[in-house]
Amino acid sequence: MNGEKQRAVRIDRTGGPEVMQLADVRVGDPGPGEVRIRHHAIGLNFLDLYHRTGLIGLPLPAHLGMEGAGVIEAAGPGVTHLQAGDRAAYAGYPAGSYSDVRVMPAMNVCRLPDEIGFDTAAAMMLKGWTAYYLLHRCKPVEGLSAGDYVLFHAAAGGVGLITTQWAKARGLRLIGTAGTDEKCALALEHGASHAINYRREDFVARVREITGGKGVKVVYDGVGKDTFEPSLDCLAPFGLLVAFGDASGLAPPIVPIRLVEKGSIYITYQGLFHHIATRDSTQQMADALFDVVRRGVVKIPIGQRYALADVQQAHRDLAERRTTGCSILLP
């Protein structure tokens, strides 16, 4: 491309949505192990907000965005699984998907099946991979079987609606929480067995009621501070709390003896990027996600579409929980 200028969202400092600016950047040719991809759609995630605010730091100045889909324009030396002209999708570091075109490592970029559109792919990679590892790799010591109860916070969000469908397909009874009756209805439509409006109900009491006092085997918690402590009281003995995000702020520290007091329970905090640290693991997770989407087992709900130039408003809507399902940016 000889350094042709393209648009990309950049921050020179951390802060509110206003720190994001659309800038012209020069995009060259891919080096060894890299590809150049022209985006057709870009994913929007809470992780992007953490990068913008500095909760999870990036070296400044920084480009934002962790997920996208488009067409490979060029593949660098050593890249064997992709070539120019391939439809592709990805999630992963380094950040920079909020752009027209970018050069990036090829390891987490996967060839996209023809049956899956760019909008769907951009909305599902990071969130779908997250749903996969939560359900398939984060299991309680006693395992998960059809009929078991699990609790998922923010069940009407992008990860939530994907996980809810996938959990139903596995025969799990997922109890979802959300902040409005409309969002609760959405979770139920996507396969939740029960939905709890946490603004009107005590979700701990409701979980105990639904499970006959036994509690759930797993709590999946991407909310953090607001839900962490009461979630411990939702677990059955030997149950597992899987933290994977901090939408409401960082969860408080916990004294280990409390795990015994709560029933010899377990806690883990998981991050997607350890699960896609190799090409083989990345492709295995992509194959599983592509399969359930192609077969219609999991449908990717895109609730919002924004122009790339409207990225500030997109971040405001996501931070203020005005969105449902997945959101994407369109170059």
Side-chain angles (χ1 to χ4, degrees), residues 138-186:
C138 299
K139 300 178 182 178
V141 66
E142 296 180 335
L144 277 177
S145 303
D148 285 341
Y149 281 106
V150 299
L151 176 64
F152 196 101
H153 292 302
V159 178
L161 293 181
I162 294 172
T163 305
T164 296
Q165 296 173 76
W166 217 330
K168 183 179 180 181
R170 295 191 58 197
L172 300 175
R173 292 187 283 186
L174 186 143
I175 304 168
T177 70
T180 68
D181 289 343
E182 292 76 15
K183 288 184 176 183
C184 286
L186 193 60

Side-chain angles (χ1 to χ4, degrees), residues 40-232:
H40 286 232
I42 300 156
L44 181 70
N45 295 282
F46 260 100
L47 182 56
D48 307 341
L49 275 64
Y50 301 161
H51 288 154
R52 172 183 44 84
T53 61
L55 181 63
I56 297 177
L58 293 174
L60 297 174
H63 291 165
L64 296 182
M66 300 295 293
E67 176 180 41
V71 175
I72 301 298
E73 291 191 334
V79 177
T80 59
H81 68 289
L82 294 165
Q83 62 184 1
D86 282 346
R87 303 170 73 254
Y90 68 89
Y93 284 102
S97 67
Y98 288 9
S99 59
D100 293 322
V101 182
R102 70 177 297 197
V103 170
M104 66 177 295
M107 186 180 72
N108 296 137
V109 184
C110 300
R111 185 180 290 111
L112 183 64
D114 290 340
E115 304 95 317
I116 300 176
F118 290 121
D119 285 14
T120 296
M124 79 180 190
M125 297 301 290
L126 190 146
K127 290 172 278 292
W129 280 346
T130 300
Y132 176 87
Y133 84 69
L134 290 176
L135 289 173
H136 295 84
R137 296 182 176 179
C138 299
K139 300 178 182 178
V141 66
E142 296 180 335
L144 277 177
S145 303
D148 285 341
Y149 281 106
V150 299
L151 176 64
F152 196 101
H153 292 302
V159 178
L161 293 181
I162 294 172
T163 305
T164 296
Q165 296 173 76
W166 217 330
K168 183 179 180 181
R170 295 191 58 197
L172 300 175
R173 292 187 283 186
L174 186 143
I175 304 168
T177 70
T180 68
D181 289 343
E182 292 76 15
K183 288 184 176 183
C184 286
L186 193 60
L188 292 170
E189 289 171 14
H190 284 78
S193 297
H194 303 270
I196 302 168
N197 184 336
Y198 63 81
R199 297 189 191 280
R200 291 196 296 102
E201 297 183 87
D202 178 341
F203 72 79
V204 176
R206 280 287 290 129
V207 165
R208 289 290 172 180
E209 178 185 349
I210 291 166
T211 62
K214 296 179 180 179
V216 298
K217 278 195 170 183
V218 185
V219 176
Y220 299 110
D221 186 1
V223 176
K225 182 178 68 174
D226 292 350
T227 52
F228 180 81
E229 288 278 357
S231 289
L232 302 178

